[in-house]
């Protein structure tokens, strides 16, 4: 089994507060841009906006593509950003742009846990599934990942469960993106349908906000901290909405309250004429 990370419930609190950041796409050189947006600057602006709000978070979940250029320096920039939100612990997943070996070593050295199972109090567990396929944009969950997930669900049968993964298991309505979602979503569905206390799935990858029903479970995806993809387009199309993040409140009765927040419009504009990256 993967290392298990237990967090106590904060004193005098009933809900668990989670911050999700995703698709940060950092470069080794902070001056580099992705389709017109300096990703280091947009990441810093998001962190500054979050810090200004002075919200309490119990956990930060980062759901992949932390780097566009998967170099040691890229992950150091990510870790330094996370240090601004201390003492909140952070857990992470690799995306299709990440180099998991570099990522794991670098983040471990920076004190960011590699755990993929988090137990918070007596009501909730969070499982992080690795859907990365080496050198491919689409996602797939290995037999090992699926077996491990079911073992975790059996280990804590009374806990409600939030499952995080990079690739969504459901088409989002963009044909060019949907070909690169989770390829074996039916295998995931077969398992989670057996566990009513799996309530919610949390994804990145698609650089846009969704809140949909998938097999009776709530499926959430979250805007990138840099570029956004325009919803409901057949071909690659950028959106000019602002970078964002997601706040999630897990309730003791298994319900989930969540809200996407964004930077003010006009701070970061992508190159709308771009036709790919």
């Amino acid at each position: 089994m993967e290392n298990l990370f237990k967090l106590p419930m904060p004193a005098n609190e009933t809900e668990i507060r989670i911050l999700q950041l995703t698709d940060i796409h950092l470069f080794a050189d902070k001056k580099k841009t992705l389709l017109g947006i300096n990703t280091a600057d947009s990441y810093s602006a998001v962190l500054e906006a979050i810090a200004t709000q002075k919200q309490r978070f119990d956990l930060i979940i980062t759901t992949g593509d932390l780097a566009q250029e998967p170099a040691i320096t890229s992950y150091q920039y990510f870790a330094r950003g996370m240090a601004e939100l201390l003492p909140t612990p952070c857990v992470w997943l690799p995306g299709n742009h990440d180099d998991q070996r570099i990522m794991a070593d670098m983040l471990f050295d920076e004190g960011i846990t590699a755990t993929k199972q988090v137990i918070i109090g007596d009501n909730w567990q969070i499982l992080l599934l690795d859907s990365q396929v080496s050198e491919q944009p689409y996602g797939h969950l290995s037999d090992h990942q699926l077996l491990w997930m079911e073992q975790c669900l059996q280990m804590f049968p009374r806990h409600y469960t939030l499952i995080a993964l990079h690739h969504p298991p459901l088409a989002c309505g963009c044909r060019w993106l949907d070909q690169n979602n989770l390829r074996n979503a039916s295998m995931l569905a077969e398992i989670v349908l057996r566990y009513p206390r799996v309530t919610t799935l949390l994804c990145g990858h698609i650089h846009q906000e969704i809140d949909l029903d998938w097999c009776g479970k709530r499926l959430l995806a979250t805007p990138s901290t840099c570029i956004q993809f325009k919803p409901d387009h057949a071909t690659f199309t950028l959106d000019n909405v602002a970078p964002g993040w997601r706040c999630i409140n897990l309730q003791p009765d298994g319900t989930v309250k969540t809200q996407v927040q964004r930077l003010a419009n006009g701070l970061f504009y992508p190159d709308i004429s771009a036709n790919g990256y």
Side-chain angles (χ1 to χ4, degrees), residues 27-154:
F27 292 90
D29 181 350
K30 282 189 173 182
K31 296 179 181 179
K32 283 190 175 182
T33 61
L34 179 64
L35 301 172
I37 288 183
N38 183 300
T39 59
D41 287 350
S42 62
Y43 177 49
S44 294
V46 165
L47 294 177
E48 182 178 352
I50 292 167
T52 299
Q53 293 178 348
K54 299 186 183 300
Q55 294 187 59
R56 173 186 66 80
F57 292 107
D58 302 304
L59 184 70
I60 303 167
I61 302 176
T62 56
T63 47
D65 282 354
L66 307 188
Q68 173 69 16
E69 186 176 73
I72 290 174
T73 310
S74 304
Y75 296 117
Q76 286 176 330
Y77 293 151
F78 166 75
R80 290 168 189 168
M82 287 297 98
E84 297 178 20
L85 299 178
L86 288 174
T88 307
C90 173
V91 292
W92 56 269
L93 283 169
N96 49 290
H97 287 274
D98 288 310
D99 185 316
Q100 193 164 172
R101 291 169 299 180
I102 297 174
M103 188 182 193
D105 290 344
M106 182 66 252
L107 297 183
F108 178 81
D109 290 344
E110 294 291 330
I112 296 177
T113 178
T115 188
K116 298 296 182 277
Q117 182 182 18
V118 183
I119 306 297
I120 308 180
D122 296 325
N123 294 311
W124 279 93
Q125 74 169 326
I126 297 164
L127 303 178
L128 293 94
L129 300 182
D130 178 3
S131 59
Q132 185 192 63
V133 179
S134 179
E135 300 183 0
Q136 297 294 335
Y138 61 82
H140 183 274
L141 293 172
S142 67
D143 291 344
H144 168 76
Q145 285 284 293
L146 294 168
L147 176 62
W148 173 79
M149 177 186 70
E150 187 152 26
Q151 289 173 337
C152 293
L153 295 174
Q154 292 170 349

Side-chain angles (χ1 to χ4, degrees), residues 37 207 226-229 239-243 262 265 268-270:
I37 288 183
H207 292 233
C226 55
I227 61 168
Q228 314 302 315
F229 298 143
D239 204 344
N240 61 8
V241 294
R262 295 182 186 269
N265 285 327
F268 294 94
Y269 275 124

